[in-house]
Amino acid sequence: MTDFWEARPVLRHIRDYARASGAGPVAVLAGVIGNAIASTDPDLQLPDGGSLNLCIAFVGQSGAGKGRGERAAQHAVRFPRGGNVERWSIGSGEGLAALFATDKDGNQACRSAVIDVHEVDGLAALAKRQGSTIMSTIRQVWSGEPIGQLNAAARRYAPAHSYRAIISVGVQPERAEALLGDRAGTAQRTLWVPVSDPDAPRARPPLPDPISVEVDGVGGTIEIPDVARDALAEHRWHVLTDSGEVDPLDGHAMFTRLKVAAGFMLLDGRTDAITDEDWKLAGALMRRSTRTREQIQTVMSDAARRSNRAKAHAVAERDEVVSERKLERAKAGVLRWLERDGELPRNELRSRARSDWRDQVSAALADLVANGTVTEIRVDRGTRYRLAGRSTLDRGSTHENPSSEGVDRASTLDPSAAKSPGETIPGDTTENTPGLTPRVLEILNQEH
């Protein structure tokens, strides 16, 4: 963006001041544009009653420099006629309306303000409150529409174009859902700027003296160039006809660009008309905004994929632990029943098992046969099993009576239910079992 910064002395000054302050030049420029707009009277408007009110998202990781950029913006370029601009933290949609509200005589305590949201998480928390109007109020503010309401209890109402507001939001990329996920279009109305500076010099240059810009924005309609008018008309046609040529997140991009172009006009000390160069400079900044927003979307998508993979791994690990425990319970049951009743067929062992681990009986038998604990006996009608070293004459073992008739029915219960106090059987899981955390134990106990 070298040509961009060299296009005007004020832009070169903003870049140099930002780097001397250890701030990102694009973020400082956006902050200066916001301050310039905030210093004008709300009666200064774009054609067709378009408001200059603007939403700016300062994008970067926590501690990356949103606050530093805002401070640099306030000192780099000063607007003497805008000395009454107030800075407030956001509280609610009703609070915004109360800030700019007029009394019964039409007087306002505050007419122009920069509304600062330090962290987008705070905005998200406000938006989630029951009955919250914060997101809809921000969109109304962007358009300069009436905000608030009139009732018998309180007057919290600001008429259309009676206030000038800049909404400034600090956004961590992976936490941007509050703005990007707002389906009503808040993201479309936002200028997205990075707080970083990949080209920053290692050694900071000397800090330049602040400069002042006289902005006499006391009212009237700003003229716009034909190139802007034609672009706005073309963009509106594509949106109106749903042609597919406009990204849903760019539905208000052209009008946001026009507001930014007005900001470049103000930085040049003019209030009457936006020039072709103002429009071109605004286009460069909007392209940077689009790239910044797309980078956020990539970060959010990557974070979602990582989260989904982590959840999948957690479920898989949980299922594996549960499956292993079921197998151990099946082994314990088989051993107990064979110890008690001698030789038994597979179907009898399966019928005694609890339904939640019955499907592990075959695997349990295979493991016990493989390690020599249980002997497998082939008979005419299938396979029978007995403990290794036990005689076929041991209690309960007769080929002529393979059924479960006469078997103690208590043995069909979960084998752990029959153990004596303090006794453990294979497959028992306790708080001292290696590798099992309290959370895993909790999950397992819920399973059983």
Side-chain angles (χ1 to χ4, degrees):
M1 294 180 67
T2 302
D3 292 342
F4 173 87
W5 295 113
E6 296 295 332
R8 292 178 179 176
V10 67
L11 296 180
R12 184 166 56 249
H13 168 76
I14 290 171
R15 178 199 60 193
D16 294 346
Y17 200 100
R19 287 183 169 162
S21 302
V26 178
V28 175
L29 172 60
V32 171
I33 287 175
N35 293 338
I37 292 174
S39 69
T40 64
D41 191 274
D43 291 334
L44 182 66
Q45 299 172 20
L46 295 165
D48 301 322
S51 174
L52 294 181
N53 294 349
L54 188 63
C55 299
I56 307 173
F58 294 88
V59 181
Q61 297 297 335
S62 179
K66 175 182 182 290
R68 183 184 294 269
E70 286 184 323
R71 290 191 296 274
Q74 291 178 54
H75 295 293
V77 182
R78 296 172 179 172
F79 302 93
R81 293 177 183 265
N84 61 341
V85 175
E86 301 182 31
R87 307 187 79 90
W88 291 84
S89 295
I90 201 166
S92 64
E94 294 78 4
L96 269 177
L99 175 63
F100 297 117
T102 58
D103 61 22
K104 61 181 180 179
D105 297 321
N107 300 315
Q108 289 173 284
C110 179
R111 190 168 169 83
S112 180
V114 175
I115 311 300
D116 191 28
V117 182
H118 296 287
E119 295 288 347
V120 73
D121 283 351
L123 183 62
L126 291 173
K128 289 179 180 178
R129 291 180 181 175
Q130 186 174 5
S132 173
T133 61
I134 185 61
M135 301 307 288
S136 62
T137 302
I138 286 176
R139 293 189 295 273
Q140 291 171 315
V141 166
W142 183 87
S143 300
E145 298 174 3
I147 55 175
Q149 58 184 346
L150 293 172
N151 55 48
R155 183 183 180 96
R156 296 175 180 173
Y157 177 78
H161 300 297
S162 66
Y163 57 91
R164 175 70 75 226
I166 301 297
I167 309 293
S168 169
V169 186
V171 179
Q172 295 180 40
E174 66 277 6
R175 315 286 291 182
E177 179 64 21
L179 287 177
L180 284 177
D182 178 43
R183 304 307 177 194
T186 307
Q188 302 175 18
R189 296 167 170 85
T190 301
L191 175 67
W192 303 82
V193 294
V195 300
S196 61
D197 181 16
D199 300 321
R202 184 173 292 275
R204 292 187 192 177
L207 187 68
D209 292 330
I211 64 173
S212 296
V213 175
E214 292 289 341
V215 176
D216 186 19
V218 295
T221 299
I222 301 170
E223 295 183 10
I224 67 174
D226 290 341
V227 62
R229 196 180 306 277
D230 293 344
L232 286 162
E234 178 74 7
H235 183 268
R236 180 57 191 160
W237 181 85
H238 283 296
V239 172
L240 186 64
T241 60
D242 196 19
S243 68
E245 294 296 320
V246 176
D247 188 312
L249 287 176
D250 289 329
H252 294 278
M254 279 298 172
F255 199 57
T256 299
R257 178 176 175 176
L258 192 62
K259 293 170 183 262
V260 173
F264 282 108
M265 172 195 72
L266 296 172
L267 286 181
D268 209 32
R270 294 176 284 110
T271 60
D272 56 341
I274 294 171
T275 65
D276 288 357
E277 186 181 55
D278 295 329
W279 180 253
K280 181 180 178 181
L281 291 171
L285 188 55
M286 288 301 296
R287 286 191 292 274
R288 187 61 180 269
S289 172
T290 299
R291 289 198 301 272
T292 303
R293 188 192 68 211
E294 290 173 346
Q295 289 168 356
I296 293 174
Q297 291 173 300
T298 299
V299 170
M300 290 177 62
S301 296
D302 290 345
R305 281 193 291 270
R306 288 195 301 271
S307 176
N308 289 338
R309 284 196 295 267
K311 289 177 181 177
H313 283 301
V315 170
E317 183 177 354
R318 171 185 175 276
D319 290 346
E320 183 178 352
V321 171
V322 171
S323 179
E324 289 176 356
R325 186 184 183 212
K326 288 180 178 179
L327 178 61
E328 292 303 317
R329 290 172 69 85
K331 289 181 182 179
V334 167
L335 292 173
R336 181 171 291 272
W337 293 324
L338 293 181
E339 173 68 28
R340 176 179 300 186
D341 301 316
E343 189 178 297
L344 293 170
R346 182 194 300 265
N347 61 347
E348 174 65 23
L349 293 168
R350 280 184 55 83
S351 69
R352 296 186 181 192
R354 280 180 49 166
S355 60
D356 58 337
W357 49 268
R358 183 174 297 141
D359 59 354
Q360 295 291 330
V361 169
S362 294
L365 287 168
D367 283 1
L368 292 171
V369 169
N371 65 28
T373 304
V374 170
T375 299
E376 187 178 59
I377 305 166
R378 300 290 181 177
V379 296
D380 292 342
R381 295 185 180 182
T383 306
R384 298 173 65 84
Y385 298 87
R386 69 168 180 264
L387 294 179
R390 290 285 295 270
S391 168
T392 58
L393 297 179
D394 288 343
R395 179 171 63 87
S397 176
T398 60
H399 292 305
E400 293 76 19
N401 183 24
S403 72
S404 60
E405 198 172 318
V407 173
D408 179 4
R409 302 314 301 170
S411 65
T412 64
L413 301 175
D414 181 359
S416 63
K419 65 185 180 181
S420 59
E423 179 188 1
T424 61
I425 62 173
D428 273 351
T429 304
T430 71
E431 60 183 7
N432 296 320
T433 302
L436 294 183
T437 65
R439 175 57 183 154
V440 173
L441 285 171
E442 179 183 348
I443 292 173
L444 295 177
N445 289 332
Q446 291 173 355
E447 287 287 329
H448 304 291

